Amino acid sequence: MKRFRRLRSSGALRDLVRETRLTAGELIYPIFVEEGIGIKTPVDSMPGIFRWSIDRLDEELDRIAEAGIAGVMIFGIPKVKDELATSAYDDDGIAQQAVRRIKKRFPELLAVADVCLCEYTSHGHCGVVCGCEILNDETLPLLGKMAVSLAKAGADIIAPSDMMDGRVAAIRQALDEAGFLNTPIMAYSAKFASGYYSPFRDAADSAPGFGDRRSYQMDCANVREALLEIEEDIAEGADIVMVKPALAYLDVVRAARDRFDTPLAAYNVSGEYSMVKAAAERGWIDEKRIVLENLTSIKRAGAGIIITYHALDAAKWLEEK
Ligand code: PBG
Ligand code: ZN
């Protein structure tokens, strides 16, 4: 009989043979910034998460930097929304201001800029709309402009989340032409149309005004298609690829890890976060234990970078251990 339990008999032995280790340095924390002054508004559906105005952002940044988290993913909520998402590529837009603030206070903290139009369009879709259709090729130049504007503000990584075809190539070309040859692209390559995004849409005020995102985000049933999306993004110049959501798609994370050598990120999305918080608030689960188990599982599946709303808590807990 093989005695597997020998190596489980003490914490020191379990530590010694642990295959997957989590560190704060591979976590990215999403932050929501909005225009205005003195704002720290709780997001109802995401306990512990707030919308910040730029003047108060330092409070949060200090905690993030202190925790040793790799970086922040910035989501801007503009005052003005229109058909063409003009505030998305305004050099003085809300996300651009946040990037400048972050880089000024913590030059070492990575400023990852989400690039998508949905927070900035009046209709809430991720692309240019004509009638009921979300236009692909007409959206690409706007994404390019947004990426360049955020790179100019000092963004360390450009992260397109729109799922238009050809956006990585278009953004790469726009960045290169503007002289940002060294700004990497982290593409949301396998982004599924998911019910797990609803709390985010509350937080970012970005729910589509009509229809849904199924004509551009992926069908949750498809893993081979996810690999094709990832392959194409790598071919177009993505430096890092992403699977999103994470927990319900760990098979996709694993398949991507096995197939490609490009650095791989997974996005532990808002709904995944809110479910844990809701159950923990009721005392039904042990939050710390569940969060560390979830994040370890995402890493075990093959993601080297994890974007998560739990990052601040997780970093603290990892320190304690
Ligand atoms: C914008 C965007 C979304 C998320 C990240 N970027 C929402 C969406 O596609 O509707 C979701 C993040 C989350 O749920 O935590 N395109
Ligand atoms: Zn979008």
Side-chain angles (χ1 to χ4, degrees):
M1 177 172 48
K2 164 75 181 161
R3 294 202 179 270
F4 289 101
R5 294 181 56 191
R6 271 185 209 127
L7 295 177
R8 293 177 199 148
S9 61
S10 73
L13 281 169
R14 290 191 295 272
D15 250 1
L16 188 70
V17 299
R18 182 158 300 129
E19 298 176 33
T20 309
R21 282 170 212 280
L22 206 58
T23 60
E26 56 213 347
L27 303 180
I28 294 178
Y29 189 55
I31 54 169
F32 298 99
V33 286
E34 70 173 289
E35 284 171 71
I37 302 179
I39 299 168
K40 179 188 177 184
T41 309
V43 176
D44 289 340
S45 53
M46 301 178 72
I49 302 295
F50 300 86
R51 285 161 59 147
W52 299 88
S53 55
I54 300 290
D55 62 308
R56 290 194 65 176
L57 194 55
D58 289 355
E59 292 172 37
E60 185 81 324
L61 294 176
D62 290 353
R63 278 192 289 270
I64 294 165
E66 170 71 19
I69 293 167
V72 292
M73 171 84 98
I74 302 143
F75 293 101
I77 302 138
K79 256 209 185 91
V80 181
K81 304 191 187 220
D82 59 29
E83 289 268 309
L84 292 176
T86 40
S87 34
Y89 36 90
D90 174 351
D91 287 346
D92 206 28
I94 182 65
Q96 286 82 352
Q97 288 179 48
V99 169
R100 281 195 291 269
R101 186 71 172 217
I102 292 158
K103 294 317 290 181
K104 189 163 161 218
R105 189 158 181 94
F106 295 109
E108 308 281 273
L109 187 67
L110 294 172
V112 185
D114 183 88
V115 167
C116 194
L117 306 184
C118 55
E119 292 120 70
Y120 304 87
T121 49
S122 39
H123 46 71
H125 275 290
C126 305
V128 175
V129 164
C130 181
C132 279
E133 213 190 321
I134 290 79
L135 304 178
N136 193 88
D137 299 15
E138 289 75 359
T139 302
L140 302 181
L142 304 188
L143 295 170
K145 280 209 283 191
M146 183 176 183
V148 168
S149 170
L150 289 159
K152 255 198 266 172
D156 297 289
I157 299 179
I158 294 298
S161 68
D162 52 285
M163 288 300 278
M164 298 299 127
D165 290 321
R167 80 274 170 71
V168 173
I171 289 171
R172 184 71 270 160
Q173 192 186 345
L175 287 171
D176 289 354
E177 280 171 9
F180 296 102
L181 291 155
N182 288 318
T183 302
I185 296 176
M186 174 164 76
Y188 288 68
S189 303
K191 179 174 179 179
F192 291 88
S194 171
Y196 284 102
Y197 305 151
S198 343
F200 173 95
R201 292 178 189 168
D202 265 3
D205 213 357
S206 65
F210 67 89
D212 55 37
R213 304 211 201 288
R214 288 176 215 263
S215 76
Y216 40 109
Q217 298 180 349
M218 286 187 56
D219 187 315
C220 73
N222 297 356
V223 62
R224 291 192 294 270
E225 186 187 358
L227 296 174
L228 291 171
E229 281 275 10
I230 293 169
E231 186 176 35
E232 175 64 18
D233 280 2
I234 294 170
E236 289 183 21
D239 302 282
I240 301 172
V241 291
M242 193 201 298
V243 173
K244 177 190 176 187
L247 290 172
Y249 297 82
L250 292 183
D251 59 323
V252 183
V253 173
R254 170 45 57 196
R257 175 71 301 151
D258 288 345
R259 180 85 63 97
F260 305 106
D261 292 324
T262 306
L264 178 64
Y267 198 140
N268 177 213
V269 299
S270 58
E272 298 175 328
Y273 172 85
S274 299
M275 292 196 310
V276 170
K277 296 300 274 191
E281 272 179 4
R282 284 163 178 73
W284 291 348
I285 57 170
D286 174 344
E287 182 178 356
K288 171 179 168 179
R289 197 168 165 185
I290 292 280
V291 167
L292 294 178
E293 186 173 335
N294 281 350
L295 298 181
T296 300
S297 297
I298 294 168
K299 183 144 187 219
R300 192 197 60 233
I305 301 164
I306 304 175
I307 301 147
T308 179
Y309 303 94
H310 297 293
L312 260 181
D313 290 330
K316 191 182 68 205
W317 292 326
L318 288 169
E319 190 83 350
E320 282 170 11
K321 272 211 307 184

mmCIF file with all atom_site columns, all heavy atoms in Angstrom, residues 116-118 126 161-162 191 213, ligand 2:
data_model
loop_
_atom_site.group_PDB
_atom_site.id
_atom_site.type_symbol
_atom_site.label_atom_id
_atom_site.label_alt_id
_atom_site.label_comp_id
_atom_site.label_asym_id
_atom_site.label_entity_id
_atom_site.label_seq_id
_atom_site.pdbx_PDB_ins_code
_atom_site.Cartn_x
_atom_site.Cartn_y
_atom_site.Cartn_z
_atom_site.occupancy
_atom_site.B_iso_or_equiv
_atom_site.pdbx_formal_charge
_atom_site.auth_seq_id
_atom_site.auth_comp_id
_atom_site.auth_asym_id
_atom_site.auth_atom_id
_atom_site.pdbx_PDB_model_num
ATOM   1  N  N   . CYS A 1 116 ? -11.837 49.375 -23.955 1.00 0.00 ? 116 CYS A N   1
ATOM   2  C  CA  . CYS A 1 116 ? -13.136 48.978 -24.488 1.00 0.00 ? 116 CYS A CA  1
ATOM   3  C  C   . CYS A 1 116 ? -14.034 50.197 -24.443 1.00 0.00 ? 116 CYS A C   1
ATOM   4  O  O   . CYS A 1 116 ? -13.850 51.086 -23.609 1.00 0.00 ? 116 CYS A O   1
ATOM   5  C  CB  . CYS A 1 116 ? -13.751 47.852 -23.655 1.00 0.00 ? 116 CYS A CB  1
ATOM   6  S  SG  . CYS A 1 116 ? -15.139 47.089 -24.520 1.00 0.00 ? 116 CYS A SG  1
ATOM   7  N  N   . LEU A 1 117 ? -15.009 50.224 -25.339 1.00 0.00 ? 117 LEU A N   1
ATOM   8  C  CA  . LEU A 1 117 ? -15.838 51.424 -25.434 1.00 0.00 ? 117 LEU A CA  1
ATOM   9  C  C   . LEU A 1 117 ? -17.080 51.402 -24.541 1.00 0.00 ? 117 LEU A C   1
ATOM   10 O  O   . LEU A 1 117 ? -17.695 52.437 -24.321 1.00 0.00 ? 117 LEU A O   1
ATOM   11 C  CB  . LEU A 1 117 ? -16.279 51.632 -26.893 1.00 0.00 ? 117 LEU A CB  1
ATOM   12 C  CG  . LEU A 1 117 ? -15.158 51.678 -27.939 1.00 0.00 ? 117 LEU A CG  1
ATOM   13 C  CD1 . LEU A 1 117 ? -15.758 51.982 -29.309 1.00 0.00 ? 117 LEU A CD1 1
ATOM   14 C  CD2 . LEU A 1 117 ? -14.084 52.702 -27.583 1.00 0.00 ? 117 LEU A CD2 1
ATOM   15 N  N   . CYS A 1 118 ? -17.438 50.228 -23.997 1.00 0.00 ? 118 CYS A N   1
ATOM   16 C  CA  . CYS A 1 118 ? -18.783 50.103 -23.389 1.00 0.00 ? 118 CYS A CA  1
ATOM   17 C  C   . CYS A 1 118 ? -19.044 51.038 -22.212 1.00 0.00 ? 118 CYS A C   1
ATOM   18 O  O   . CYS A 1 118 ? -20.185 51.441 -21.994 1.00 0.00 ? 118 CYS A O   1
ATOM   19 C  CB  . CYS A 1 118 ? -19.072 48.659 -23.002 1.00 0.00 ? 118 CYS A CB  1
ATOM   20 S  SG  . CYS A 1 118 ? -17.846 47.906 -21.935 1.00 0.00 ? 118 CYS A SG  1
ATOM   21 N  N   . CYS A 1 126 ? -19.781 47.503 -26.799 1.00 0.00 ? 126 CYS A N   1
ATOM   22 C  CA  . CYS A 1 126 ? -18.325 47.602 -26.846 1.00 0.00 ? 126 CYS A CA  1
ATOM   23 C  C   . CYS A 1 126 ? -17.809 48.113 -28.189 1.00 0.00 ? 126 CYS A C   1
ATOM   24 O  O   . CYS A 1 126 ? -16.598 48.203 -28.401 1.00 0.00 ? 126 CYS A O   1
ATOM   25 C  CB  . CYS A 1 126 ? -17.700 46.248 -26.521 1.00 0.00 ? 126 CYS A CB  1
ATOM   26 S  SG  . CYS A 1 126 ? -18.262 45.576 -24.941 1.00 0.00 ? 126 CYS A SG  1
ATOM   27 N  N   . SER A 1 161 ? -10.607 44.558 -24.252 1.00 0.00 ? 161 SER A N   1
ATOM   28 C  CA  . SER A 1 161 ? -11.607 43.607 -23.755 1.00 0.00 ? 161 SER A CA  1
ATOM   29 C  C   . SER A 1 161 ? -12.872 43.592 -24.607 1.00 0.00 ? 161 SER A C   1
ATOM   30 O  O   . SER A 1 161 ? -13.882 43.040 -24.217 1.00 0.00 ? 161 SER A O   1
ATOM   31 C  CB  . SER A 1 161 ? -11.977 43.951 -22.309 1.00 0.00 ? 161 SER A CB  1
ATOM   32 O  OG  . SER A 1 161 ? -12.675 45.180 -22.243 1.00 0.00 ? 161 SER A OG  1
ATOM   33 N  N   . ASP A 1 162 ? -12.787 44.182 -25.799 1.00 0.00 ? 162 ASP A N   1
ATOM   34 C  CA  . ASP A 1 162 ? -13.986 44.404 -26.606 1.00 0.00 ? 162 ASP A CA  1
ATOM   35 C  C   . ASP A 1 162 ? -14.458 43.206 -27.423 1.00 0.00 ? 162 ASP A C   1
ATOM   36 O  O   . ASP A 1 162 ? -15.622 43.107 -27.764 1.00 0.00 ? 162 ASP A O   1
ATOM   37 C  CB  . ASP A 1 162 ? -13.683 45.536 -27.587 1.00 0.00 ? 162 ASP A CB  1
ATOM   38 C  CG  . ASP A 1 162 ? -12.396 45.202 -28.338 1.00 0.00 ? 162 ASP A CG  1
ATOM   39 O  OD1 . ASP A 1 162 ? -11.311 45.331 -27.731 1.00 0.00 ? 162 ASP A OD1 1
ATOM   40 O  OD2 . ASP A 1 162 ? -12.476 44.742 -29.485 1.00 0.00 ? 162 ASP A OD2 1
ATOM   41 N  N   . LYS A 1 191 ? -12.798 35.651 -24.282 1.00 0.00 ? 191 LYS A N   1
ATOM   42 C  CA  . LYS A 1 191 ? -13.747 36.303 -23.383 1.00 0.00 ? 191 LYS A CA  1
ATOM   43 C  C   . LYS A 1 191 ? -15.141 35.810 -23.722 1.00 0.00 ? 191 LYS A C   1
ATOM   44 O  O   . LYS A 1 191 ? -15.632 36.009 -24.834 1.00 0.00 ? 191 LYS A O   1
ATOM   45 C  CB  . LYS A 1 191 ? -13.661 37.824 -23.530 1.00 0.00 ? 191 LYS A CB  1
ATOM   46 C  CG  . LYS A 1 191 ? -14.643 38.551 -22.627 1.00 0.00 ? 191 LYS A CG  1
ATOM   47 C  CD  . LYS A 1 191 ? -14.457 40.045 -22.662 1.00 0.00 ? 191 LYS A CD  1
ATOM   48 C  CE  . LYS A 1 191 ? -15.471 40.731 -21.754 1.00 0.00 ? 191 LYS A CE  1
ATOM   49 N  NZ  . LYS A 1 191 ? -15.306 42.177 -21.757 1.00 0.00 ? 191 LYS A NZ  1
ATOM   50 N  N   . ARG A 1 213 ? -24.334 40.896 -25.550 1.00 0.00 ? 213 ARG A N   1
ATOM   51 C  CA  . ARG A 1 213 ? -23.008 40.919 -26.171 1.00 0.00 ? 213 ARG A CA  1
ATOM   52 C  C   . ARG A 1 213 ? -22.671 39.623 -26.922 1.00 0.00 ? 213 ARG A C   1
ATOM   53 O  O   . ARG A 1 213 ? -21.533 39.347 -27.219 1.00 0.00 ? 213 ARG A O   1
ATOM   54 C  CB  . ARG A 1 213 ? -21.941 41.162 -25.097 1.00 0.00 ? 213 ARG A CB  1
ATOM   55 C  CG  . ARG A 1 213 ? -22.126 42.425 -24.261 1.00 0.00 ? 213 ARG A CG  1
ATOM   56 C  CD  . ARG A 1 213 ? -20.766 42.966 -23.821 1.00 0.00 ? 213 ARG A CD  1
ATOM   57 N  NE  . ARG A 1 213 ? -20.811 43.848 -22.672 1.00 0.00 ? 213 ARG A NE  1
ATOM   58 C  CZ  . ARG A 1 213 ? -21.290 45.093 -22.676 1.00 0.00 ? 213 ARG A CZ  1
ATOM   59 N  NH1 . ARG A 1 213 ? -21.807 45.591 -23.787 1.00 0.00 ? 213 ARG A NH1 1
ATOM   60 N  NH2 . ARG A 1 213 ? -21.256 45.820 -21.571 1.00 0.00 ? 213 ARG A NH2 1
HETATM 61 ZN ZN  . ZN  B 2 .   ? -16.843 46.444 -23.381 1.00 0.00 ? 2   ZN  B ZN  1
#
